[in-house]
Amino acid sequence: MKTLQSALFFAIPFFLLVRALTAIETVLFLLSALLHEAGHFLVLLFFGYRKKTAFSLSPAGAILAIDTTFLPYRKEILVYLAGPTFNLIGMGVTLLLLRQTFTFPLLYFFFCNALLCSINLVPIEGLDGYQALFSFICLFHTPEKAKQLLAPINALSCVLLLVASLALFVLEKNLSLLLLIASLLIEGKTKKATKIS
Amino acid sequence: MNKHRNCKKKRAFWLPLLLCFFCALALLIPRDATSLSKLSRRFFFHLFQNDTAKEVFGLEEAEWVFVFGNETDSVFL
């Protein structure tokens, strides 16, 4: 039942986000999410990760359920930052293509990569930005202390992102960002397992 | 032990409520309001008012009009 609830929590906002898109736009959105996860996974493979990995989609992209406890903190930082870095590479390649042929699907792919990269770098618990920062602080302090230090940053980021998404709704009548934030917060509350998103 | 049980009960109560909230959203919200595609169009439409952005994308005026339509196009304004 709990699994079904979690699956629906991801499926409904995801449906809301993509139902107004054409098939090609949905594919491009999923491709940018795959690119992000491929970044994490390739770096993990490079560091010798050989276990089975659960992969699922979420409105904020995708989730790889991976146990990174076998890695030292330095390598863990690289794994967490690999996803946004791959999105940046995707943006660079798309920019080059856009300079050749300026079309909306390419522009949209650029936008999806930019959105996934920037949202994932926000230091909110469960996102890459928070995890990378957490691993970085753990180089100098205990995990408990790191969590303590990051608590106010986490809260402030949540508030700022919520204000930004509300502003977007008021100014542009668009709920996309609000849905992304809501699903991220629910995801953080419902998923306790070690993961990379 | 009791404290732990209470927490579980509280969580089980809130999850279906949130689920109902999302279902209501799915039924009530118009398609355009959740469209990432439309958000992307509006974002770039405003961005390309700036000439620097046009230079970065190597964009000709005609290409911009081809993708976004004229400034008078009510879809993006």
Side-chain angles (χ1 to χ4, degrees), chain A residues 137-159:
Chain A
I137 296 173
C138 284
L139 290 173
F140 313 102
H141 298 286
T142 59
E144 290 75 25
K145 179 76 178 168
K147 212 162 187 179
Q148 237 176 8
L149 286 171
L150 282 174
I153 298 173
N154 181 36
L156 185 69
S157 307
C158 283
V159 171

Side-chain angles (χ1 to χ4, degrees), chain A residues 15-182:
Chain A
F15 165 74
L16 276 170
L17 278 171
V18 302
R19 70 179 176 152
L21 302 179
T22 61
I24 181 89
E25 286 162 358
T26 310
V27 168
L28 289 171
F29 177 69
L30 293 177
L31 264 181
S32 47
L34 277 176
L35 188 68
H36 181 96
E37 299 312 322
H40 291 306
F41 197 64
L42 287 176
V43 174
L44 269 169
L45 283 180
F46 181 74
F47 288 142
Y49 188 84
R50 296 289 181 271
K51 290 179 191 169
K52 274 190 181 176
T53 308
F55 175 81
S56 58
L57 287 170
S58 93
I63 298 166
L64 276 178
I66 283 171
D67 179 17
T68 54
T69 46
F70 77 102
L71 285 173
Y73 286 120
R74 270 174 217 282
K75 288 184 176 175
E76 215 175 61
I77 297 170
L78 292 178
V79 170
Y80 286 124
L81 293 181
T85 309
F86 265 54
N87 283 134
L88 277 176
I89 294 169
M91 283 167 71
V93 172
T94 317
L95 192 61
L96 288 176
L97 291 172
L98 273 168
R99 290 176 75 95
Q100 303 294 320
T101 326
F102 190 80
T103 57
F104 182 68
L106 275 177
L107 199 63
Y108 176 70
F109 187 64
F110 182 89
F111 180 80
C112 286
N113 274 297
L115 199 67
L116 281 182
C117 176
S118 49
I119 286 188
N120 271 293
L121 282 176
V122 176
I124 291 179
E125 198 170 354
L127 296 183
D128 298 333
Y130 179 94
Q131 303 291 356
L133 210 56
F134 178 80
S135 302
F136 179 73
I137 296 173
C138 284
L139 290 173
F140 313 102
H141 298 286
T142 59
E144 290 75 25
K145 179 76 178 168
K147 212 162 187 179
Q148 237 176 8
L149 286 171
L150 282 174
I153 298 173
N154 181 36
L156 185 69
S157 307
C158 283
V159 171
L160 286 178
L161 216 54
L162 200 65
V163 169
S165 52
L166 283 173
L168 191 73
F169 176 58
V170 172
L171 297 173
E172 295 284 329
K173 304 279 176 289
N174 198 300
L175 277 165
S176 311
L177 197 57
L178 200 62
L179 275 175
L180 282 175
I181 310 307

Side-chain angles (χ1 to χ4, degrees), chain A residues 5 8-9 12 16-17 19-21 25 29 98-99 102 104 107-108 111 172 174-176 179 186 190, chain B residues 11 15 18-19 22 26 29-31 33-37 39-42 44 55-57 59 67-68:
Chain A
Q5 276 179 346
L8 282 170
F9 277 135
I12 292 172
L16 276 170
L17 278 171
R19 70 179 176 152
L21 302 179
E25 286 162 358
F29 177 69
L98 273 168
R99 290 176 75 95
F102 190 80
F104 182 68
L107 199 63
Y108 176 70
F111 180 80
E172 295 284 329
N174 198 300
L175 277 165
S176 311
L179 275 175
I186 292 166
T190 53
Chain B
R11 197 166 149 184
L15 286 178
L18 278 168
L19 191 61
F22 272 128
I29 292 175
R31 280 183 168 213
T34 57
S35 169
L36 268 181
S37 171
L39 184 66
S40 157
R41 275 181 192 271
R42 289 187 67 90
F44 284 113
E55 276 174 34
V56 170
F57 282 86
L59 188 60
V67 171
F68 293 102

